[in-house]
Amino acid sequence: MKVLVIEDSDRLRRSLGQGLGHAGFAVDQAEDGAVGLEYLAIYTYDVVILDLMLPNISGLEVLQRLRAEGNDVHVLILSAKDQVEDRVRGLDLGADDYLVKPFSFDELCARLQALVRRRHQAKNPQFAVGPLLLDTARRQVERDGQILHLTPSEYSLLEFLSLRSGRVFSQNQLLEQLYRSDAEITSNVIEVLISSLRRKIHRPGEPPIVQTRRGHGYLVEVS
Amino acid sequence: MRSQRRISLQFLLAVGGLLVLAGGLAVRQLDRWQEEGLDAALLAQGRTLAAFTFLNPDDEIQLAVDRLPPLAPQAQREYFQLWSGEGRVIVKSISLADGQRLRTATSTTPEQDLPRDVVPSQEARFRDILLPEGRAGRAVQLDFEVPRSGVTSTSPPDSSAAAPQPATQPPAIEPSTWPPSERHRLATLVVAQSRHQIDHRSRLFAVTLAATGGLLLALIHLLHRRALHLTLQPLRQITHQMAALGARNLKRLQIEDPPRELRPLIERLNALLDGLEQALARERRLSSNIAHELRTPIAELRNLAEVGSRWPKKQDMVLQFFTDVHDISQQMEKTVTHLLALARYESGLEIVRHSEVRILPLVEEAWRPQVRAAAAKGIVLARQVAADASVRSDVDKLQLMVANLLSNAVQYSPPGSTIRCRAVCQKGDWSLAVINPAEHLQAEDIPLLFDRFWRKDPARTGGKHSGLGLSLVRAFGDLLGIDVQARLDAQSQLHIELHFSQRPTAASVAEISALRIG
């Protein structure tokens, strides 16, 4: 899941980026509205965490411009403004959620997960992919009642492909979705990740859950 | 409106009371006039009867009944009775004789007698009596000396057969013969009439008066209520509009054509509402600013704590978090220190130690902490302060004031700009101004500059300034008796001026010496 944090407080932005990164999100960071809009023009995000009181271009203006351009990315407003009218205004302008500072990091993660599920019309945090049972809330995978120990990157890859089952994604697309935009990594990482993931989830004799379309990329397809 | 009903009721009671009093007096007066008329008629009647009373040759008192003028149709309701001096009834009217048509007859029925005083008097005596039928009546008693036949005090009868002609005027009883020497010549005549007519008239008048009064009272009540309603209309409008007021609705009072007496009240209330709205707006700004000023660092702290505790093995991250926590705590400590200082200065408990303060060295000291930040932005300070300029003030507090002003100027001036610090003496009073470019400010921002936590940038990016510096300057100014003013000139230069109201200890033209820092 790729998230863009637009927040002018260096410390908060940085700690959020690190925390969400460790929680399995790929996080890009923008220190003001203008930079945020540049990121949004280039990359695709699952959720945007947007502060309202930003220098130069306010958060509400960013939101207005996004919606005016037809960008339907989910937006979670994270603001110190706690008045009802502020919340109503933000939601009216097209925000999907509103969280008041100070906030719980766990709650933020849960809300981000909920927004991602909403994006894929999945209300239940648990869903099955073949013999696997994915729990997006706990970020864990079970097979035959046994928990599979996946790394955060492996889980993120599996969840990304599972939520979009049937669609093929290239290594570059997967890189872009699973890592920060400024991360200095090669597409080789995806091959390594796919390989280790398959080792953990596949059983001999069974059709593979993560399949390769040679020359195109990878997909999760379950009959 | 309860007060309107009370006023109306009180007015009604007062008017009603006055009407009852006036009506009672009128009825009483009418009664008196009627009674006087009745008394006059009774007296005339009595004197007429007395004029026809004589002593016959046998020395017996006799009333020339046959010569009496014909009785009026209502005569049956007239009563008279004549007694001799010895108390013997000579004659009584028909109405006193059990319906028998008697003119001259004695009656042995005491209850058919008219009441009389047995002690004779020269004066006619009037009294209210109860007539034999049980009705209320009015009587006059005349005691007089009866003339002998042919000799009367007015027009005596010439004989028993020839009764005296009735006088046109009732006979007067001559006091010269009083008391009469011969007892048997003394006669007592009581003439009475029913009071029914006058009582009835009085009652009718009273009832008419009461009905008219009641009607009048009802009319007055309606008119008074209407007048009161119209008079109190502006007050009702004020009450109604005031009731609708609230923190979110401070609409000014708009009363149509208010009475002159209420205009000062309405103007004063509207002025208070203006002040209240400004105060509430300031309060809201302050609350919002405080909320944001505190929420952001708290959010930072909480996030650092939660993320750090969730991945404690990420040592580089956790170490960086500790540095962040330290910075945040310093920033919050600064905010709290400033707030406490503000509270202390505003409480008036801070001790002020006045001494002679030379301005130029003070500016230099205040500038020293800003040098590094100014150098980083390429900002210079132009000192336009005479070397010998001095004022009498608290040197420490004054230095803090100037340091805050310079810090503020460095923070908000664009890179490469010049900050001017200028001391000017006018009419013996010094003023010190810190002037810096402030293109980000508008004229409407100037009144807000000294508000706590106010910042032009709503994002409040950067944690170095808490937005309390200028509030502290104003608080210091109040404490030291320095008038602090701010203005924006046509070149978007912000002037914050400290006016010292005191005699200068040194006065000279300011020198200009611009020094490039760093």
Side-chain angles (χ1 to χ4, degrees), chain B residues 231-246:
Chain B
T231 309
L232 294 177
Q233 182 71 12
L235 272 180
R236 259 194 306 278
Q237 285 181 1
I238 290 174
T239 309
H240 181 70
Q241 291 182 22
M242 291 287 283
L245 292 178

Side-chain angles (χ1 to χ4, degrees), chain A residues 162-176:
Chain A
S162 300
L163 283 170
R164 297 159 182 82
S165 63
R167 287 174 60 189
V168 180
F169 291 91
S170 67
Q171 287 188 356
N172 282 338
Q173 281 175 314
L174 291 174
L175 266 180
E176 189 187 308

Side-chain angles (χ1 to χ4, degrees), chain A residues 154-195:
Chain A
E154 287 165 352
Y155 174 83
S156 295
L157 175 63
L158 180 62
E159 185 189 285
F160 179 83
L161 290 173
S162 300
L163 283 170
R164 297 159 182 82
S165 63
R167 287 174 60 189
V168 180
F169 291 91
S170 67
Q171 287 188 356
N172 282 338
Q173 281 175 314
L174 291 174
L175 266 180
E176 189 187 308
Q177 287 300 316
L178 299 177
Y179 293 93
R180 292 196 324 264
S181 302
D182 58 352
E184 292 177 356
I185 46 174
T186 60
S187 56
N188 206 26
V189 171
I190 298 297
E191 280 183 42
V192 174
L193 207 58
I194 291 282
S195 172

Side-chain angles (χ1 to χ4, degrees), chain B residues 400-423:
Chain B
L400 277 171
M401 279 180 91
V402 177
N404 268 318
L405 290 178
L406 291 174
S407 168
N408 200 63
V410 170
Q411 171 79 12
Y412 296 108
S413 294
S417 56
T418 299
I419 298 168
R420 285 180 293 152
C421 189
R422 185 171 65 193

Side-chain angles (χ1 to χ4, degrees), chain B residues 49 120 307 329 435:
Chain B
L49 288 171
V307 172
S329 61
I435 304 154

Side-chain angles (χ1 to χ4, degrees), chain B residues 370-384:
Chain B
Q370 318 304 328
V371 169
R372 185 178 290 179
K377 291 177 76 175
I379 291 173
V380 294
L381 176 71
R383 300 161 180 80
Q384 301 172 332

Side-chain angles (χ1 to χ4, degrees), chain B residues 14-206:
Chain B
V15 171
L18 285 174
L19 283 177
V20 167
L21 188 68
L25 288 171
V27 170
R28 186 174 165 77
Q29 189 57 40
L30 178 74
D31 229 16
R32 189 172 295 164
W33 285 338
Q34 288 197 107
E35 207 166 78
E36 282 172 8
L38 182 61
D39 287 352
L42 283 172
L43 190 61
Q45 198 178 353
R47 284 179 173 168
T48 303
L49 288 171
F52 285 91
T53 306
F54 60 94
L55 277 177
N56 63 17
D58 299 329
D59 258 2
E60 287 177 339
I61 295 170
Q62 192 175 342
L63 179 67
V65 176
D66 299 335
R67 298 296 182 115
L68 283 175
L71 292 172
Q74 71 271 24
Q76 283 187 356
R77 293 206 191 102
E78 292 176 350
Y79 306 83
F80 67 88
Q81 191 165 354
L82 184 65
W83 288 268
S84 67
E86 293 82 13
R88 183 172 55 88
V89 175
I90 307 300
V91 68
K92 59 169 76 171
S93 62
I94 294 169
S95 50
L96 295 170
D98 290 332
Q100 295 177 39
R101 194 170 172 76
L102 292 176
R103 282 269 175 127
T104 55
T106 58
S107 172
T108 55
T109 320
E111 60 272 22
Q112 295 295 319
D113 288 342
L114 289 173
R116 64 167 184 136
D117 279 345
V118 291
V119 179
S121 168
Q122 192 180 1
E123 302 296 324
R125 281 172 287 180
F126 297 95
R127 69 169 69 88
D128 287 324
I129 61 165
L130 199 63
L131 292 173
E133 299 94 328
R135 289 188 298 161
R138 181 85 179 157
V140 62
Q141 179 175 342
L142 297 172
D143 298 308
F144 60 96
E145 183 182 4
V146 182
R148 290 186 181 282
S149 174
V151 182
T152 179
S153 57
T154 50
S155 52
D158 51 358
S159 68
S160 61
Q165 294 300 313
T168 50
Q169 291 296 321
I173 299 169
E174 292 302 326
S176 57
T177 57
W178 194 263
S181 51
E182 299 168 273
R183 180 77 179 166
H184 66 279
R185 288 184 63 186
L186 182 66
T188 296
L189 176 67
V190 172
V191 178
Q193 273 192 23
S194 167
R195 287 186 60 99
H196 173 74
Q197 204 167 2
I198 64 168
D199 286 347
H200 176 69
R201 220 176 278 148
S202 290
R203 274 197 300 276
L204 199 62
F205 180 68

Side-chain angles (χ1 to χ4, degrees), chain B residues 102-416:
Chain B
L102 292 176
R103 282 269 175 127
T104 55
T106 58
S107 172
T108 55
T109 320
E111 60 272 22
Q112 295 295 319
D113 288 342
L114 289 173
R116 64 167 184 136
D117 279 345
V118 291
V119 179
S121 168
Q122 192 180 1
E123 302 296 324
R125 281 172 287 180
F126 297 95
R127 69 169 69 88
D128 287 324
I129 61 165
L130 199 63
L131 292 173
E133 299 94 328
R135 289 188 298 161
R138 181 85 179 157
V140 62
Q141 179 175 342
L142 297 172
D143 298 308
F144 60 96
E145 183 182 4
V146 182
R148 290 186 181 282
S149 174
V151 182
T152 179
S153 57
T154 50
S155 52
D158 51 358
S159 68
S160 61
Q165 294 300 313
T168 50
Q169 291 296 321
I173 299 169
E174 292 302 326
S176 57
T177 57
W178 194 263
S181 51
E182 299 168 273
R183 180 77 179 166
H184 66 279
R185 288 184 63 186
L186 182 66
T188 296
L189 176 67
V190 172
V191 178
Q193 273 192 23
S194 167
R195 287 186 60 99
H196 173 74
Q197 204 167 2
I198 64 168
D199 286 347
H200 176 69
R201 220 176 278 148
S202 290
R203 274 197 300 276
L204 199 62
F205 180 68
V207 168
T208 307
L209 214 55
T212 310
L215 203 65
L216 201 62
L217 213 55
L219 200 62
I220 287 171
H221 177 60
L222 288 176
L223 289 173
H224 181 255
R225 276 193 63 172
R226 180 74 187 147
L228 211 55
H229 180 82
L230 291 174
T231 309
L232 294 177
Q233 182 71 12
L235 272 180
R236 259 194 306 278
Q237 285 181 1
I238 290 174
T239 309
H240 181 70
Q241 291 182 22
M242 291 287 283
L245 292 178
R248 293 180 188 278
N249 171 30
L250 289 173
K251 199 176 163 189
R252 305 299 175 274
L253 299 179
Q254 289 179 330
I255 309 300
E256 288 172 19
D257 194 22
R260 202 172 47 195
E261 295 81 0
L262 284 181
R263 278 180 195 157
L265 173 73
I266 294 166
E267 284 166 9
R268 185 71 189 132
L269 281 173
N270 280 339
L272 285 173
L273 286 173
D274 280 338
L276 192 61
E277 189 171 58
Q278 286 169 12
L280 281 173
R282 197 177 303 122
E283 191 65 27
R284 275 197 287 268
R285 274 199 307 273
L286 179 66
S287 302
S288 167
N289 291 339
I290 288 175
H292 195 219
E293 206 67 47
L294 295 177
R295 277 180 193 278
T296 301
I298 291 172
E300 290 169 352
L301 280 176
R302 184 169 177 182
N303 199 56
L304 290 170
E306 288 185 7
V307 172
S309 62
R310 194 156 162 180
W311 291 280
K313 291 180 181 171
K314 307 284 181 188
Q315 285 193 355
D316 291 346
M317 181 186 81
V318 174
L319 282 174
Q320 176 59 45
F321 283 5
F322 280 129
T323 309
D324 289 344
V325 168
H326 180 259
D327 291 347
I328 295 165
S329 61
Q330 273 194 323
Q331 180 197 334
M332 293 184 83
E333 182 187 344
K334 187 177 172 185
T335 302
V336 171
T337 306
H338 282 177
L339 278 173
L340 290 174
L342 266 175
R344 207 167 53 245
Y345 300 144
E346 287 175 352
S347 70
L349 297 174
E350 189 73 11
I351 297 168
V352 177
R353 293 183 178 84
H354 281 285
S355 64
E356 208 62 33
V357 181
R358 291 181 61 223
I359 297 177
L360 189 56
L362 180 129
V363 170
E364 295 295 352
E365 278 301 310
W367 178 248
R368 203 183 307 281
Q370 318 304 328
V371 169
R372 185 178 290 179
K377 291 177 76 175
I379 291 173
V380 294
L381 176 71
R383 300 161 180 80
Q384 301 172 332
V385 184
D388 57 347
S390 66
V391 291
R392 190 160 180 77
S393 189
D394 185 311
V395 63
D396 295 333
K397 293 178 178 62
L398 187 56
Q399 188 176 315
L400 277 171
M401 279 180 91
V402 177
N404 268 318
L405 290 178
L406 291 174
S407 168
N408 200 63
V410 170
Q411 171 79 12
Y412 296 108
S413 294

